[in-house]
Amino acid sequence: KQRILNGGMLPRKGGTGQATETSETTSTADSVRFESLEDYSAGHSSPPPSFYREIEFNTRQFLPSGAHMVSGAAQGRWLTQLTSMTREGRVLELGTFTGYATACFLEGASNAGEAVDYQGSGGRDGGPYVMSLERDPRAINIAV
């Protein structure tokens, strides 16, 4: 297996459990080795709120054929971070599916609004806003 080596930064403590030494990571005095990029990302990211596990569970339960399309924790944290860095937290998402990425965009848009001290609820005219479109009624029923 190819390993990802992190020489300078130690993983966060108490996050997802993957950040500490487990069978998936090995540690020496100066570095931590991660078995995959997913492990590395989890070790250096804040854990997602429990709400995201609920979305994943509902997707697996009610739409198992599409469960592989849920963004997941690493990609979700990245989407939240990207949205947080936008000027006003405005996002257009094509393909909501069951709402995992949409929730990440909403979290990031809220962070962006706080960063610029936006006073208001946000909407089409200004401020944090996420517009998400989905055409599959089964996915919409899970997302809503």
Side-chain angles (χ1 to χ4, degrees):
K1 288 184 176 180
Q2 187 176 20
R3 293 182 180 210
I4 299 166
L5 178 63
N6 174 21
M9 295 171 47
L10 291 177
R12 294 179 187 256
K13 300 286 186 212
T16 62
Q18 294 176 339
T20 59
E21 287 186 51
T22 65
S23 61
E24 297 171 358
T25 63
T26 57
S27 179
T28 63
D30 298 324
S31 64
V32 176
R33 291 183 185 267
F34 293 89
E35 293 294 325
S36 68
L37 185 57
E38 185 80 21
D39 293 341
Y40 178 86
S41 178
H44 291 85
S45 300
S46 300
S50 61
F51 175 75
Y52 293 101
R53 283 186 297 238
E54 184 178 331
I55 295 172
E56 287 182 89
F57 175 79
N58 287 338
T59 302
R60 281 192 307 274
Q61 187 74 20
F62 298 111
L63 198 58
S65 62
H68 67 283
M69 296 186 340
V70 173
S71 297
Q75 185 177 3
R77 297 290 84 203
W78 184 69
L79 292 172
T80 299
Q81 183 64 30
L82 283 177
T83 308
S84 296
M85 294 186 301
T86 62
R87 187 167 41 114
E88 287 188 342
R90 302 179 68 74
V91 176
L92 170 62
E93 177 188 27
L94 302 176
T96 303
F97 190 50
T98 57
Y100 192 101
T102 308
C104 296
F105 288 136
L106 288 167
E107 183 181 356
S110 174
N111 294 342
E114 289 174 11
V116 296
D117 198 29
Y118 184 78
Q119 303 297 319
S121 62
R124 289 183 172 178
D125 297 330
Y129 185 72
V130 176
M131 177 181 280
S132 189
L133 308 171
E134 176 58 56
R135 67 180 187 162
D136 184 346
R138 298 170 306 155
I140 292 170
N141 288 335
I142 296 168
V144 179

